[in-house]
Amino acid sequence: NWLAQFGLPYVHADHHAAAFASLKGVPTLLFGGDGGLFVSSDGGASFSSQKNDGLSSYLIYAMTGNPRHADDALIGLQDNGTRFRTGTGGTYNQVFGGDGFGVAWSQAEDRVALGSVYYSFILRNPRNPPNQQGKWFVGYNGIAEFFNPALTYFNTALAAPRASADPQGLTFFHRTRFKLYRTTNGAASWQSVLTTSPILLRAGSHPIGISPVDLDHFGVLGNGGNLWFTNDGGATFINRVLTAAAPGWPGFNSSLAYASNTTMYVSNEAPLNPATQRVIKSTDGGTTWANASTGLPQAPINKLLVSTRDPNTVYAA
């Protein structure tokens, strides 16, 4: 069982491989799964996960930090829950289970932390630190597509503005298959600000970008090279098809990042191709775009992050 419930031993129940072996003459069963390696030497009556000790085998979809306590971290893990670290240690304790996807934290006043599972299942924690399951509350009110696989994605994406743009610390963004949502009350409720049907929004973890200057400038990436962004807080949106606006752009949009109200970056996760541009940049508010890939390896990029200290420094993951 995933959490050693019902009197069963803890063996992560999403298996990918199984094998028999003879270890020191003892018939041994090995399971490899989303939780690592599990070993039984008594015919399955009990299992040990000890061989995972010291291995960094988690797949992190998203991570965020506490603006007041720089060592605190909240991470969403592939099928290993949402986990929280206090201080500088290496222990990340699970605060709720399942697939941990998007996470977000108010960057002003550390007022609200958000976590998620699949299909827009968002949880909110207004009682920091977010270190106990009992502190988390429903955070998907107003998202009509909640838990509808036809209208939202397995991967739940979340984005939080910087404190410079949102000093109240209560605004967050989320996307479903065809809609971009915004909350202004810390995920107590959500409202749709954009519908893109029939064009799908991107299914990744980081398709939403927000200006560090204000909440009037934000955007979201779509399939087919599409980008939607607003300069007036969502009253109107501009659509750019980046495969046309940036010749040679392969599509597969993955991450949108703002350095200012007028400087924006977009990355892609296209299959490996020596001719592929990996990042493009606009310095005129999204009107024109140019290649900004010099020095990058030919590898898919999942996230762009503009430094909070220097707007000319950009990280590509």
Side-chain angles (χ1 to χ4, degrees):
N1 182 268
W2 284 277
L3 296 173
Q5 296 169 310
F6 316 114
L8 297 171
Y10 168 57
V11 181
H12 198 292
D14 283 345
H15 303 307
H16 295 284
F20 288 105
S22 178
L23 301 182
K24 297 181 179 181
V26 178
T28 304
L29 173 64
L30 301 96
F31 278 125
D34 284 346
L37 180 63
F38 298 86
V39 179
S40 176
S41 57
D42 56 10
S46 64
F47 282 84
S48 169
S49 61
Q50 185 177 8
K51 292 189 181 296
N52 295 303
D53 292 352
L55 297 179
S56 298
S57 58
Y58 288 139
L59 172 62
I60 300 175
Y61 281 117
M63 65 181 299
T64 186
N66 184 329
R68 289 192 171 187
H69 305 282
D71 294 323
D72 291 358
L74 189 66
I75 57 175
L77 293 162
Q78 195 277 327
D79 213 21
N80 281 279
T82 297
R83 294 175 180 254
F84 175 67
R85 182 189 78 168
T86 304
T88 60
T91 299
Y92 288 77
N93 286 318
Q94 183 169 284
V95 292
F96 54 88
D99 284 279
F101 287 113
V103 290
W105 212 324
S106 302
Q107 293 302 293
E109 303 298 326
D110 74 337
R111 297 180 69 176
V112 178
L114 300 186
S116 65
V117 196
Y118 31 73
Y119 299 131
S120 298
F121 192 115
I122 298 169
L123 295 161
R124 61 189 297 266
N125 180 9
R127 299 162 57 191
N128 283 311
N131 59 347
Q132 298 175 13
Q133 184 169 330
K135 290 184 175 182
W136 294 83
F137 302 92
V138 164
Y140 48 77
N141 289 326
I143 301 174
E145 304 94 311
F146 163 73
F147 232 66
N148 184 339
L151 295 176
T152 189
Y153 286 113
F154 193 71
N155 186 325
T156 301
L158 293 167
R162 290 193 202 170
S164 53
D166 178 30
Q168 298 300 313
L170 293 174
T171 297
F172 298 92
F173 293 86
H174 166 61
R175 65 94 193 91
T176 58
R177 285 183 183 263
F178 300 105
K179 291 183 179 181
L180 178 65
Y181 281 88
R182 175 177 58 196
T183 176
T184 58
N185 56 15
S189 61
W190 296 82
Q191 297 79 38
S192 172
V193 293
L194 172 68
T195 301
T196 64
S197 181
I199 300 174
L200 290 165
L201 297 178
R202 286 298 289 176
S205 294
H206 310 290
I208 303 166
I210 311 156
S211 170
V213 178
D214 57 43
L215 292 176
D216 288 332
H217 296 77
F218 58 88
V220 63
L221 298 168
N223 285 359
N226 279 274
L227 161 66
W228 286 269
F229 59 94
T230 179
N231 301 323
D232 54 17
T236 60
F237 278 85
I238 299 166
N239 176 226
R240 288 279 184 274
V241 182
L242 297 177
T243 49
W249 187 248
F252 296 90
N253 297 338
S254 60
S255 183
L256 170 65
Y258 282 75
S260 68
N261 282 350
T262 55
T263 300
M264 307 154 68
Y265 298 85
V266 175
S267 65
N268 71 65
E269 52 189 3
L272 300 182
N273 183 331
T276 296
Q277 301 174 29
R278 287 297 169 187
V279 175
I280 52 176
K281 177 183 179 180
S282 174
T283 58
D284 55 11
T287 301
T288 61
W289 295 81
N291 184 21
S293 303
T294 301
L296 285 171
Q298 269 305 317
I301 294 174
N302 293 318
K303 182 176 174 65
L304 295 172
L305 180 68
V306 178
S307 169
T308 59
R309 299 180 178 181
D310 174 18
N312 293 312
T313 298
V314 184
Y315 298 90

